[in-house]
């Protein structure tokens, strides 16, 4: 009985722990999977939804030296971040492109929801999650 109780406690304890993210695991090129999920009125995420659009979303790249690239290039658009750092399960973004007449949102922290060898799920601004797949070299 004690063994059974210990296994139950261990199982529930492991469910409550946050996934440890390997900062090096995010390095590479990631293609947008055209899957998104948003929060409902109660603040809970629903099911993943396939986006059907004719607009091509460029890949994002995380380099080993902390650069954040869009479409394999350093970004030049207003309000776009150029650097990142992994802290726990968070991507801390920095070095935004400031433009005189642009009003940029302060969404400089992205949450890594899931990271595997093949897939990356990121939560933006505590309201939307996007799924990416690793691009092969």
């Amino acid at each position: 009985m004690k063994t059974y109780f210990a296994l139950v406690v261990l199982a529930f304890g492991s469910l409550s722990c946050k996934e440890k993210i390997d900062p090096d695991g995010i390095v590479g090129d990631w293609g947008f999977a055209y899957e998104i999920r948003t929060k409902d009125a109660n603040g809970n995420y629903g099911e993943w939804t396939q986006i059907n659009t004719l607009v091509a979303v460029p890949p994002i790249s995380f380099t080993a030296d902390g650069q954040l690239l869009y479409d394999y290039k350093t970004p030049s658009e207003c309000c776009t971040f150029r650097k990142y750092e992994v802290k726990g399960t968070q991507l801390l973004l920095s070095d935004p492109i400031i433009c005189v007449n642009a009003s940029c949102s302060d969404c400089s922290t992205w949450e890594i929801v899931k990271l595997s060898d093949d897939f990356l799920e990121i939560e933006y601004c505590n309201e939307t999650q996007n799924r990416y797949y690793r691009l092969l070299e």
Side-chain angles (χ1 to χ4, degrees):
M1 183 66 172
K2 288 181 183 179
T3 304
Y4 176 75
F5 180 72
L7 288 175
V8 170
V9 169
L10 181 63
F12 280 109
S14 66
L15 290 175
S16 65
C17 294
K18 262 197 156 175
E19 180 182 347
K20 175 118 172 71
I21 301 295
D22 174 17
D24 295 331
I26 200 163
V27 172
D29 303 322
W30 298 91
F32 188 55
Y34 292 91
E35 293 180 271
I36 188 172
R37 64 182 181 176
T38 56
K39 288 186 176 182
D40 62 18
N42 296 323
N44 300 312
Y45 280 103
E47 297 297 317
W48 286 98
T49 303
Q50 186 75 35
I51 298 173
N52 297 316
T53 180
L54 297 176
V55 177
V57 177
I60 58 173
S61 304
F62 299 93
T63 67
D65 65 350
Q67 300 289 321
L68 182 57
L69 307 176
Y70 299 88
D71 206 12
Y72 309 105
K73 298 177 275 202
T74 301
S76 59
E77 295 81 24
C78 291
C79 306
T80 307
F81 294 97
R82 295 177 279 200
K83 294 185 180 177
Y84 79 95
E85 180 181 358
V86 178
K87 291 281 188 180
T89 59
Q90 294 185 327
L91 285 168
L92 305 176
L93 308 179
S94 61
D95 195 21
I97 297 172
I98 305 298
C99 297
V100 177
N101 294 323
S103 177
C104 303
S105 71
D106 183 30
C107 187
S108 61
T109 303
W110 297 351
E111 185 75 23
I112 301 170
V113 178
K114 184 175 184 180
L115 175 62
S116 70
D117 290 339
D118 301 318
F119 287 98
L120 170 64
E121 294 174 2
I122 297 177
E123 180 181 82
Y124 298 94
C125 306
N126 196 27
E127 60 188 45
T128 303
Q129 292 181 355
N130 289 343
R131 187 176 280 163
Y132 297 85
Y133 62 94
R134 188 178 295 277
L135 296 172
L136 300 177
E137 297 155 15

